[in-house]
Amino acid sequence: MEELVGLREGSSGNPVTLQELWGPCPRIRRGIRGGLEWLKQKLFSVGEDWYFLMTLGVLMALISYAMNFIVERVVQAHNWLYREIGDSHLLRYLSWTVYPVALVSFSSGFSQSITPFSGGSGIPELKVILSGIVLEDYLDIKNFGAKVVGLCCTLAAGSTIFLGKVGPFVHLAVMIAAYLGRVRTATIGESGNKSKQNEMLVAGAAVGVSTVFAAPFSGVLFSIEVMSSHFSVWDYWRGFFAATCGAFTFRLLSVFNSEEETITCLFKTDFPVDIPYDLPEIFFFVALGAICGILSCAYLFCQRTYLGFLKTNRFFSKLLATSKPLYSALAAVILASITYPPGVGRFLASRLSMGEHLRSLFDNTSWALMTRNSSPPWPKELNPQNLWVEWYHPQFTIFGTLAFFLVMKFWMLVLATTIPIPAGYFLPIFIWGAAVGRLLGEALSVAFPEGLVAGGVINPIVPGAYALAGAAAFSGAVTHTISTALLVFELTGQIVHGLPVLMAVLAANAIAQSCQPSFYDGTIIIKKLPYLPWIRGRKISSHRVIVEHFMNCTITTLAKDMPLEEAVKVVTSTDMAEYPLVETKESQILVGTVRRAHLVQAFKAEPPSSTPGHQRCVQDVLAGGCPTEPVTLQLSPETSLHQAHNLFELLNLQSLFVTSQGRAVGFVSWAEMEKAISSLTNPPPPK
Amino acid sequence: MADEKTFRVGFIVLGLFLLALGTFLMSHDRPQVYGTFYAMGSVMVIGGVIWSMCQCYPKITFVPADSDFQGILSPKALGLLENGLATEKKRSRAPAPHAPYVRLFEEAAYDQSLPDFSHIQMKVMGYSEDPRPLLGPQLGQLSLGSSDGGEGSPQDIQAWTEAAVVVHRGSDENEGERDPTQSRPGPPTCPQGPAPLASFQEDLDMGSSEDSSPNPSPPDREEPRPPTQEPKAYWCQLDRYSDFALIDAPTAEDVPCGGQQQEMALPHNWQRSPGTEEEEEEALDTGAEEPEEEEEDLYYGLPDSPGDPFPDKHTGLSPAVLG
């Protein structure tokens, strides 16, 4: 930032800023400033990035912990109310239903009133931003408060609404990262360097995921997989550093709050470590992966169809446009009525919170075997030691409960994902996948009560391991990532099931990626966000497509020898942000680009041609003070689509000019690229 | 700087958040935990509050130009550009800042469009010293594209005058409508030093000749620079402000050094009344208490009534009043 400088009369030395000359207590200010400068020099000698990354990680961990804390207290209050309200059915139903309805409609109304960007997950938009396209105001710090409040309300509604935390939290982390990037720029004093800003954003995304689960490895890898198409190793270091600081602080705060003795994983499990599984079980793990893949295709298809239906149906689109809280309230009423514990909720284990769902599903006993002979009663209150009893029903047994849970939660989750509140959609699919795995594991443990390998040592089947694999496989298939396998291990501390889980995840991904776009890509498609799709498959003869086939040939160029009136006519009749500048009208040799704003100003500054003999042309205007930018990167008409696509992705470009032997012949922006790619993958029907 | 305000607010909010978190984490067998949180939180809150309070002293502001000057101007015939570009103006004006004044210290446009002046050793010179040698390097940097200065010096003068006058309409909307040339920093050079400026002086009864001569240097130095995003309007306004700063110069030849007027203007002012600085500050304190006002108006020494951003608009610009 440039500042006016001046010197006191008679003093020598460097000029100091005028603020120092004129402000109150100039000596103290100078002293403080000098001290800060010395501090800055000492601290930043190792590079200033690390301090800001550490701040980012610690800050996000604090925010995550505070949110968890608040949500826990609110949920406790609600549980107390539900317990104390007595036995009247109506009152209990009201207390069960009004709570999530109020929270969800408040969350929806509040966050939408502050900014319309605060609803939904946020990861699709971040994917677009990190690929270089600027979505204005998406990372504005004033969205922060709206999103935090909205997210707290969503989480406080708990497993009734069945939504999670990851998506909006990543958005919050990237907002804070952008803000810290500005602080960094102001501290260092260098003007905005776009690549440095991008580094901070990528690190912010990694921190977001890792502080939700206190899992740095999978956090970084998940954010890479979901949000970047190209990732540099430079960003890798920064992401890991910030994510580790965040995860560490997050677990440390639990210790400070006397919830834990030391830093441990979030969900503790007790699986046998010596022989975690028998060899033939790997086949079942892979089969589970395949099943999860098929189910994820179904889920993605239904979710996208329903979202499209909401947008096209007149009634719903009007309702969503005019009164989002009303729609949220209606959806919450439906969801809460179904999960009412004395009613249908009995079969859905609806008294469990999200974390308790996971804890119970990762239980190391086999419920089917335990309930084969005995029939534990349904406790009046939740028993934290025996959470799995929630899943048991005397008539339906655990199989019925689990199956009913899967069926009901499938469509309830699809409904919940369309509510316009800030919510994460990862944890619910994680839990749903764990239930799928648990079901299969229980079935196996009933089918093979003594384990798969006959004779000798008995190694019973552990359905909890199948729940692990199911969670990882389903969530990986829905989001098209593999790092969920690692996430499962970091959450539970169990890495002995490493290989089978990974194989399940790979199988699920193989099926899902060939059938459906991922969850976040589907949202990008539905919301029509500007994102460059990825060229699928090599057998669609994409290598033969060259730039000439899809470039935009109608470009308006400004020649340097163009008379001024004609140039003005061109500028006023077209609406481009940047005009290519060519040498002469005949040669059309591209020499640079000039921005519309500068051009307009230069035109306005032109005096009317008072001397009739001298016809002013564009060249004169430019020399008079209009800056032109050189063209640093050009495409040739013979560049292939793949090369152009790589260029756009690697360099985060928005548009490029196409020149042939120096002549400007066309223009390629990401819109043309996208159209080319989509017409390749879905060729239009021949007329 | 709008950013700095958000940093201050963010700092205080973060301190409050740490205090709240420390309250949550209160556990009596580990007092060092919440003690640390409380300590950090209170340090940040107190530091942020002090930092914010230090921003709230009245600043030096320039008296804006007088409306009388508009009569001196011949309104530019806009020609064919005006109609075609009217919509352009509206479009480009849309994202204009709301601040009526350009904030001299903090405007991003300013720092991007200006060449960096900070390295210029601006020595406050005695009146006898000849500032011309310092102008040498600047002139050397001038792209003396006289080939392009086809308008000639009268045109230059006119451009200068117009540029100078528009200053008090700080908002871009007004400027754009009234002065088409305001964005153009002026003709490339004024190779003849005093001669055109003499007319400038007699037109506006102010300033010293050497004011305008360094003026060409910034716009020309702009050209080789990478293009800026911000309009050059800000830059031009600043130039004009500095012109007006010298209205108050006790001696017309008291042109301090080369480089920029802005630098010259204020130490000029400083130099003028070193002893009265305290009184001025007090006057400013009582007069212009605008604690929330973020604009750093270069306020020219008079205790004006608070909230009156254009103190001298109607009184006319005369050195006596301003002095």
Side-chain angles (χ1 to χ4, degrees):
Chain A
M1 185 194 85
E2 289 297 339
E3 292 190 335
L4 296 180
V5 293
L7 277 179
R8 286 175 190 271
E9 179 183 14
S11 71
S12 59
N14 296 326
V16 291
T17 60
L18 285 169
Q19 271 177 318
E20 295 174 28
L21 289 180
W22 293 88
C25 343
R27 229 166 282 142
I28 299 180
R29 288 160 69 87
R30 231 174 309 158
I32 293 181
R33 219 176 275 266
L36 285 176
E37 284 291 329
W38 175 86
L39 192 68
K40 188 164 102 171
Q41 218 180 27
K42 281 282 173 289
L43 282 181
F44 287 177
S45 52
V46 291
E48 65 281 356
D49 280 355
W50 307 105
Y51 296 101
F52 288 100
L53 291 170
M54 187 172 70
T55 312
L56 179 64
V58 169
L59 203 54
M60 292 322 293
L62 291 176
I63 293 173
S64 174
Y65 190 76
M67 276 170 54
N68 281 0
F69 190 87
I70 292 173
V71 165
E72 206 184 297
R73 290 290 180 265
V74 174
V75 166
Q76 260 179 14
H78 174 242
N79 284 342
W80 172 89
L81 176 69
Y82 182 71
R83 271 199 317 268
E84 298 297 317
I85 204 148
D87 278 331
S88 155
H89 269 285
L90 181 64
L91 277 181
R92 284 168 78 196
Y93 176 74
L94 278 180
S95 79
W96 181 263
T97 319
V98 168
Y99 170 75
V101 168
L103 279 175
V104 164
S105 38
F106 172 69
S107 161
S108 170
F110 181 74
S111 54
Q112 294 294 332
S113 72
I114 295 199
T115 163
F117 298 128
S118 57
S121 172
I123 289 189
E125 284 88 357
L126 287 177
K127 194 166 171 170
V128 166
I129 288 178
L130 286 178
S131 79
I133 294 162
V134 173
L135 293 180
E136 287 163 4
D137 292 338
Y138 201 71
L139 295 180
D140 219 356
I141 197 72
K142 65 179 186 321
N143 301 341
F144 184 78
K147 202 120 190 185
V148 168
V149 172
L151 187 60
C152 283
C153 294
T154 309
L155 292 175
S159 70
T160 314
I161 306 294
F162 208 61
L163 290 172
K165 190 178 167 195
V166 173
F169 203 74
V170 175
H171 185 197
L172 290 172
V174 177
M175 267 195 261
I176 296 279
Y179 187 71
L180 281 178
R182 290 212 304 273
V183 173
R184 183 184 161 274
T185 311
T187 321
I188 304 298
E190 70 183 39
S191 58
N193 185 353
K194 196 161 181 292
S195 65
K196 277 285 193 195
Q197 273 294 90
N198 219 36
E199 272 172 27
M200 279 300 273
L201 297 185
V202 171
V207 169
V209 184
S210 59
T211 41
V212 168
F213 297 118
F217 292 103
S218 48
V220 174
L221 292 179
F222 187 77
S223 79
I224 294 176
E225 282 188 291
V226 166
M227 279 174 275
S228 322
S229 57
H230 286 87
F231 194 80
S232 69
V233 183
W234 180 261
D235 291 340
Y236 187 72
W237 269 102
R238 283 157 166 69
F240 257 109
F241 182 71
T244 311
C245 291
F248 177 66
T249 313
F250 186 70
R251 295 309 283 154
L252 202 61
L253 284 170
S254 301
V255 174
F256 286 161
N257 205 20
S258 309
E259 288 166 2
E260 311 271 348
E261 284 300 314
T262 176
I263 293 184
T264 53
C265 51
L266 278 178
F267 298 100
K268 289 191 251 308
T269 52
D270 274 327
F271 299 155
V273 177
D274 284 342
I275 302 188
Y277 51 88
D278 279 321
L279 201 56
E281 287 188 46
I282 293 192
F283 169 71
F284 289 110
F285 276 105
V286 176
L288 173 64
I291 294 172
C292 285
I294 297 171
L295 288 172
S296 73
C297 288
Y299 172 75
L300 287 168
F301 176 74
C302 291
Q303 205 261 337
R304 238 186 17 258
T305 313
Y306 183 62
L307 208 52
F309 165 74
L310 277 186
K311 281 197 183 307
T312 51
N313 180 280
R314 271 187 49 213
F315 171 69
F316 280 116
S317 60
K318 210 153 69 84
L319 182 65
L320 275 174
T322 52
S323 173
K324 291 194 169 80
L326 183 58
Y327 177 81
S328 321
L330 284 175
V333 163
I334 296 174
L335 293 173
S337 312
I338 294 181
T339 55
Y340 180 51
V344 178
R346 172 76 174 86
F347 309 105
L348 286 176
S350 58
R351 289 197 307 191
L352 296 169
S353 72
M354 305 282 274
E356 284 162 355
H357 270 114
L358 271 185
R359 211 161 276 135
S360 65
L361 287 170
F362 291 158
D363 190 54
N364 65 335
T365 57
S366 167
W367 304 338
L369 294 181
M370 280 179 59
T371 60
R372 212 165 21 173
N373 298 326
S374 63
S375 174
W378 193 48
K380 193 151 191 315
E381 310 262 326
L382 212 52
N383 182 358
Q385 305 305 327
N386 266 340
L387 286 174
W388 67 270
V389 179
E390 293 292 310
W391 292 99
Y392 176 71
H393 190 269
Q395 276 85 46
F396 286 105
T397 74
I398 50 141
F399 293 102
T401 331
L402 279 171
F404 188 65
F405 174 85
L406 289 175
V407 168
M408 296 297 283
K409 282 295 184 187
F410 187 85
W411 69 264
M412 284 162 71
L413 185 56
V414 169
L415 175 64
T417 53
T418 60
I419 303 178
I421 44 175
Y425 306 123
F426 181 78
L427 197 58
I429 57 178
F430 196 73
I431 295 176
W432 203 86
V436 171
R438 187 88 203 185
L439 188 58
L440 181 68
E442 295 289 344
L444 278 180
S445 78
V446 166
F448 302 101
E450 266 106 44
L452 278 173
V453 175
V457 187
I458 292 186
N459 296 314
I461 293 184
V462 181
Y466 286 84
L468 271 181
F474 188 72
S475 53
V478 167
T479 54
H480 286 199
T481 58
I482 302 181
S483 50
T484 48
L486 195 54
L487 179 67
V488 148
F489 301 136
E490 283 192 290
L491 279 181
T492 58
Q494 288 276 346
I495 202 151
V496 286
H497 292 89
L499 273 178
V501 170
L502 196 52
M503 289 163 77
V505 170
L506 284 172
N509 261 292
I511 296 181
Q513 289 199 14
S514 53
C515 296
Q516 293 280 334
S518 87
F519 183 83
Y520 303 116
D521 284 338
T523 315
I524 287 180
I525 292 174
I526 293 280
K527 286 193 183 173
K528 296 194 176 37
L529 291 173
Y531 185 72
L532 205 54
W534 150 79
I535 309 180
R536 297 173 57 92
R538 304 288 186 208
K539 52 181 182 346
I540 43 177
S541 64
S542 52
H543 284 279
R544 288 210 286 266
V545 179
I546 57 177
V547 166
E548 199 177 8
H549 296 155
F550 61 86
M551 71 182 179
N552 187 355
C553 299
T554 58
I555 49 169
T556 45
T557 59
L558 291 178
K560 276 185 163 181
D561 60 352
M562 198 188 261
L564 212 49
E565 293 86 15
E566 198 182 326
V568 169
K569 228 186 317 225
V570 164
V571 170
T572 52
S573 56
T574 54
D575 194 18
M576 294 164 48
E578 213 176 35
Y579 287 93
L581 195 64
V582 294
E583 191 69 41
T584 59
K585 233 172 144 65
E586 307 87 51
S587 71
Q588 290 278 317
I589 305 258
L590 186 68
V591 295
T593 59
V594 59
R595 294 192 154 267
R596 186 194 189 81
H598 296 149
L599 206 56
V600 157
Q601 279 176 2
F603 282 155
K604 280 192 290 182
E606 275 296 302
S609 43
S610 44
T611 56
H614 179 169
Q615 170 89 319
R616 279 181 74 84
C617 56
V618 174
Q619 163 87 7
D620 309 320
V621 170
L622 293 177
C626 182
T628 63
E629 292 155 31
V631 171
T632 49
L633 213 55
Q634 302 159 23
L635 288 177
S636 139
E638 278 82 28
T639 313
S640 74
L641 175 64
H642 280 273
Q643 279 177 323
H645 186 256
N646 278 344
L647 267 178
F648 268 75
E649 281 204 325
L650 271 172
L651 299 176
N652 289 344
L653 297 172
Q654 305 284 315
S655 64
L656 279 181
F657 285 106
V658 184
T659 57
S660 158
Q661 293 164 359
R663 296 172 54 93
V665 295
F667 175 77
V668 172
S669 72
W670 72 264
E672 277 90 24
M673 291 278 306
E674 198 214 354
K675 213 172 4 185
I677 295 174
S678 61
S679 61
L680 250 192
T681 47
N682 306 319
K687 297 194 182 47
Chain B
M1 184 163 64
D3 257 359
E4 209 181 280
K5 183 174 182 201
T6 61
F7 296 159
R8 290 201 297 268
V9 170
F11 201 61
I12 296 178
V13 166
L14 183 60
L16 291 172
F17 174 65
L18 285 178
L19 284 176
L21 204 58
T23 320
F24 285 155
L25 292 183
M26 185 95 73
S27 69
H28 294 285
D29 50 340
R30 277 211 205 103
Q32 63 264 29
V33 169
Y34 69 83
T36 320
F37 274 98
Y38 276 176
M40 276 175 44
S42 38
V43 161
M44 288 176 85
V45 168
I46 293 174
V49 167
I50 291 180
W51 185 17
S52 307
M53 282 188 346
C54 286
Q55 307 289 328
C56 301
Y57 56 87
K59 318 243 187 334
I60 353 169
T61 56
F62 272 124
V63 169
D66 183 37
S67 52
D68 280 354
F69 284 115
Q70 292 184 31
I72 300 179
L73 279 189
S74 60
K76 245 341 191 186
L78 299 180
L80 62 89
L81 296 176
E82 176 72 356
N83 298 333
L85 298 177
T87 50
E88 283 297 332
K89 268 179 287 197
K90 297 209 179 15
R91 243 186 295 169
S92 62
R93 293 301 167 229
H98 305 290
Y101 274 133
V102 170
R103 286 177 280 165
L104 214 54
F105 295 124
E106 297 171 343
E107 198 61 42
Y110 174 25
D111 40 297
Q112 280 191 18
S113 59
L114 279 181
D116 58 333
F117 306 140
S118 49
H119 66 277
I120 297 170
Q121 285 290 337
M122 198 212 42
K123 297 190 286 246
V124 174
M125 300 186 294
Y127 298 155
S128 54
E129 230 177 295
D130 189 354
R132 302 286 167 82
L134 286 182
L135 292 177
Q138 275 82 48
L139 282 177
Q141 295 179 37
L142 295 179
S143 63
L144 295 175
S146 327
S147 58
D148 203 16
E151 294 109 331
S153 32
Q155 198 73 337
D156 302 353
I157 309 309
Q158 206 166 14
W160 287 122
T161 56
E162 288 171 10
V165 168
V166 185
V167 65
H168 70 290
R169 296 299 179 102
S171 63
D172 286 346
E173 288 83 8
N174 295 337
E175 281 173 5
E177 284 144 21
R178 282 188 21 238
D179 187 8
T181 63
Q182 54 88 25
S183 58
R184 192 169 150 85
T189 80
C190 236
Q192 319 88 315
L197 302 168
S199 53
F200 179 68
Q201 215 168 351
E202 86 195 9
D203 269 346
L204 301 177
D205 188 5
M206 63 175 165
S208 49
S209 51
E210 283 79 359
D211 274 1
S212 306
S213 50
N215 271 342
S217 54
D220 291 300
R221 274 192 266 170
E222 258 188 68
E223 281 184 6
R225 292 199 156 247
T228 64
Q229 306 293 335
E230 325 300 326
K232 292 190 220 157
Y234 297 131
W235 183 90
C236 304
Q237 287 176 346
L238 295 163
D239 247 353
R240 299 170 211 137
Y241 284 143
S242 50
D243 294 338
F244 283 108
L246 292 170
I247 294 170
D248 208 14
T251 57
E253 301 80 39
D254 187 26
V255 174
C257 8
Q260 295 307 65
Q261 287 88 317
Q262 296 91 343
E263 293 158 331
M264 300 192 306
L266 299 169
H268 209 60
N269 190 11
W270 176 258
Q271 191 186 8
R272 182 175 55 82
S273 53
T276 61
E277 185 221 341
E278 281 76 35
E279 290 109 291
E280 272 182 6
E281 277 199 15
E282 278 150 349
L284 295 177
D285 278 331
T286 55
E289 70 274 352
E290 3 181 33
E292 313 84 64
E293 182 142 348
E294 279 304 299
E295 285 111 62
E296 318 232 15
D297 307 324
L298 284 179
Y299 173 56
Y300 212 55
L302 258 194
D304 288 310
S305 57
D308 180 7
F310 301 99
D312 282 309
K313 193 168 177 174
H314 38 276
T315 56
L317 198 68
S318 61
V321 173
L322 295 174

